[in-house]
Amino acid sequence: MKTGSTLLASACIVAMVGGCGSKPDGNSVAPVDIAEGSVEKPNLKLGFIKLTDMAPLAIAKEKGFFQEEGLNVTLEPQANWKVLLDGVIGGQLDGAHMLAGQPLAATIGLGTKADLIAPLSLDLNGNAITLSNKVWGMISKDLPKGPDGKPTHPISASVLKPVIASFQAQGKPFKMGMVFPVSTHNYELRYWLAAGGIKPGYYLPGDVAGNTDADIQISVTPPPQMPATMEAGTIEGYCVGEPWNQAAVQKKIGVPVITDEEIWHLNPEKVFGLRKDFAEKYPKTAAALIRAIIKAQQWLDADGGKNRAEAVKILSQPNYVGADAAVIAASMTGKFTFEPGDTRPATDFNIFFNHNAGYPYYSDAIWYLTQMRRWGQIAEQKPDQWYVDTAKAVYRPDLYLAAAKALIAKGVIPADSVPDTDGFKPADSGFIDGKTYDGHKPNAYLDQFAIGLKGKATVTAAGVASN
């Protein structure tokens, strides 16, 4: 395998396209050597949102892993998740850091219809729910405390019931934010609320905000705008990825009350998304992308996180996340700060390679589909096999395994870093409410919940119709 330096040199001699060296922003590299024809499309543009979990893409670029695979990649931040999705579907972007629900939703026609695939999962965990200082002041004194006087975690959403009642008594809705209707953040926020006995609402054909029969109002806000939106009083809390929870702590405008790892232990987060026809037209390119990202994921988790400090420095650059390094480090270096003076160990808060984080499990895809069904985005009951078939159409462990096994053969990653699996994780009870999820039985899973659609319940423009 060529190193980044030898590849760069051969690029300048063999390809003779453009100039050598990087621009000051670090977002453009010299052309690569494509003389061997190892990839069909060497020059690529990938999209991302300014969140720390875009790290595998930034690291694949900055550490030369894309170059090693014969790729000249430009990374381009996007204004919001809708713009990013449209860019991939329309071909302006060749691929992207995506919400796990986006390729699934596009494939089933929830929103814009398109055939997208997820050949790789980018990470596990990485989100939190933050409340405004106002709300924290209303609940903190009554929270159970440990011997150190700090709140006992996890904190149940049930503590918000008197707050919501207080807002309603004043004729005001209690409002919270999340980043996109099919985001992990939306489903985690709704899961947490429902586990605490609070109804987060249903999506109807006439209610795309998903607030029908809700105790609170949930709205969409782009991640980097979350702290300012809460500070302005538009929302009283939000679920978002880092560093935008830690930004609220730094600005002293809010307090994270629970991480997603506490809602669902080792939950899947973002994916790398591609158009299906891109992967079919450029199979060597798709394989090279996956290999480069896997190498970046391994680098991020290597040796107990020894590279995280360097990763933080890279991500803090304005062309990537663009937040203060101290804010990014507050959640990405094995710890998580809930409020000043309350920093706790959080070694599993951001996982990129360990625990088979990159493998795109069918059961992860099916969980997202169950949440779309639970909250009315899938209007009618679907048989279990529909969930399995949909997951297999979008999540592509075959592509992941081909790339990973090529890296194993070269000794780049260890053999035990790839799971021996049929694509389904074992039944999982690592949820805040103790419910057990079995990806083989999505309808039985949905039947466990007191709040949410189940069985033959449907949603129409007229409302929710029960069995």
Side-chain angles (χ1 to χ4, degrees):
M1 179 181 295
K2 294 180 180 179
T3 65
S5 59
T6 57
L7 185 57
L8 180 59
S10 62
C12 298
I13 296 170
V14 180
M16 294 298 289
V17 181
C20 294
S22 299
K23 292 182 180 179
D25 66 0
N27 204 30
S28 180
V29 298
V32 295
D33 179 2
I34 58 171
E36 298 177 4
S38 57
V39 295
E40 309 92 345
K41 188 178 184 185
N43 299 311
L44 301 169
K45 181 185 292 184
L46 305 181
F48 68 93
I49 297 294
K50 292 193 169 190
L51 295 159
T52 56
D53 56 21
M54 63 77 59
L57 299 186
I59 297 306
K61 183 176 180 66
E62 296 295 328
K63 303 305 291 185
F65 299 134
F66 283 136
Q67 284 185 307
E68 287 177 359
E69 296 294 342
L71 302 172
N72 175 30
V73 173
T74 297
L75 298 178
E76 186 173 282
Q78 305 296 297
N80 57 55
W81 290 113
K82 178 65 166 63
V83 170
L84 180 145
L85 177 66
D86 290 344
V88 174
I89 292 173
Q92 294 84 16
L93 298 172
D94 296 299
H97 160 239
M98 272 190 167
L99 298 162
Q102 284 186 301
L104 292 162
T107 298
I108 66 175
L110 177 54
T112 305
K113 180 74 171 72
D115 290 326
L116 303 181
I117 61 170
L120 178 142
S121 174
L122 287 177
D123 63 315
L124 304 177
N125 306 328
N127 301 329
I129 296 172
T130 292
L131 297 175
S132 66
N133 285 344
K134 175 183 176 180
V135 174
W136 178 249
M138 296 172 72
I139 67 171
S140 59
K141 62 183 181 298
D142 296 323
L143 294 176
K145 306 293 196 302
D148 58 2
K150 297 174 183 177
T152 302
H153 280 245
I155 294 174
S156 169
S158 62
V159 300
L160 291 179
K161 287 183 175 180
V163 178
I164 295 169
S166 174
F167 273 64
Q168 291 174 341
Q170 300 172 57
K172 299 188 299 184
F174 185 83
K175 298 180 179 181
M176 296 191 74
M178 51 79 186
V179 306
F180 200 67
V182 296
S183 65
T184 316
H185 320 75
N186 186 26
Y187 303 133
E188 288 170 345
L189 177 58
R190 288 170 176 270
Y191 199 105
W192 180 65
L193 291 167
I198 296 169
K199 294 182 291 183
Y202 297 102
Y203 290 89
L204 307 182
D207 179 8
V208 295
N211 290 323
T212 295
D213 194 28
D215 293 327
I216 72 167
Q217 289 184 10
I218 301 175
S219 60
V220 172
T221 301
Q225 297 175 25
M226 286 289 192
T229 304
M230 186 174 71
E231 188 174 18
T234 305
I235 54 177
E236 293 293 347
Y238 53 73
C239 183
V240 74
E242 286 304 327
W244 307 116
N245 298 287
Q246 291 303 315
V249 176
Q250 185 196 50
K251 295 179 71 176
K252 298 182 179 179
I253 61 171
V255 177
V257 292
I258 190 167
T259 66
D260 58 347
E261 207 275 333
E262 295 174 311
I263 297 171
W264 178 14
H265 180 62
L266 298 181
N267 70 90
E269 216 340 82
K270 304 297 191 304
V271 297
F272 181 64
L274 297 168
R275 293 187 314 281
K276 182 181 178 183
D277 63 354
F278 179 97
E280 292 171 345
K281 185 177 180 179
Y282 308 118
K284 293 181 181 179
T285 305
L289 278 167
I290 298 167
R291 290 194 300 270
I293 296 171
I294 291 173
K295 286 188 275 189
Q297 290 177 303
Q298 177 178 240
W299 184 91
L300 280 160
D301 280 6
D303 299 328
K306 72 172 185 179
N307 295 324
R308 290 298 181 92
E310 183 180 353
V312 166
K313 184 177 180 181
I314 290 170
L315 293 174
S316 69
Q317 297 175 21
N319 53 304
Y320 293 129
V321 179
D324 290 346
V327 174
I328 297 174
S331 66
M332 204 179 179
T333 52
K335 58 189 178 183
F336 190 91
T337 299
F338 290 93
E339 58 180 327
D342 188 1
T343 297
R344 308 187 187 202
T347 55
D348 286 342
F349 182 74
N350 278 128
I351 301 173
F352 297 99
F353 186 77
N354 298 335
H355 300 289
N356 306 129
Y359 186 95
Y361 285 94
Y362 298 138
S363 49
D364 289 347
I366 291 170
W367 186 85
Y368 283 101
L369 294 169
T370 66
Q371 301 311 292
M372 294 177 192
R373 168 60 182 154
R374 185 180 181 187
W375 305 118
Q377 292 169 325
I378 296 173
E380 299 177 346
Q381 184 181 36
K382 302 289 187 181
D384 285 350
Q385 191 60 45
W386 177 88
Y387 288 89
V388 175
D389 293 343
T390 303
K392 289 184 175 181
V394 179
Y395 275 41
R396 296 291 301 274
D398 58 319
L399 298 180
Y400 177 84
L401 287 172
K405 288 179 179 178
L407 294 177
I408 290 171
K410 294 180 179 181
V412 177
I413 63 173
D416 62 4
S417 63
V418 176
D420 181 10
T421 175
D422 62 355
F424 288 80
K425 292 177 180 176
D428 184 356
S429 58
F431 294 83
I432 190 171
D433 57 5
K435 306 293 187 189
T436 298
Y437 168 61
D438 183 344
H440 293 98
K441 302 174 182 178
N443 281 294
Y445 174 62
L446 288 167
D447 286 344
Q448 298 179 79
F449 298 106
I451 299 175
L453 297 182
K454 65 182 84 176
K456 296 181 179 179
T458 61
V459 294
T460 67
V464 179
S466 64
N467 296 5

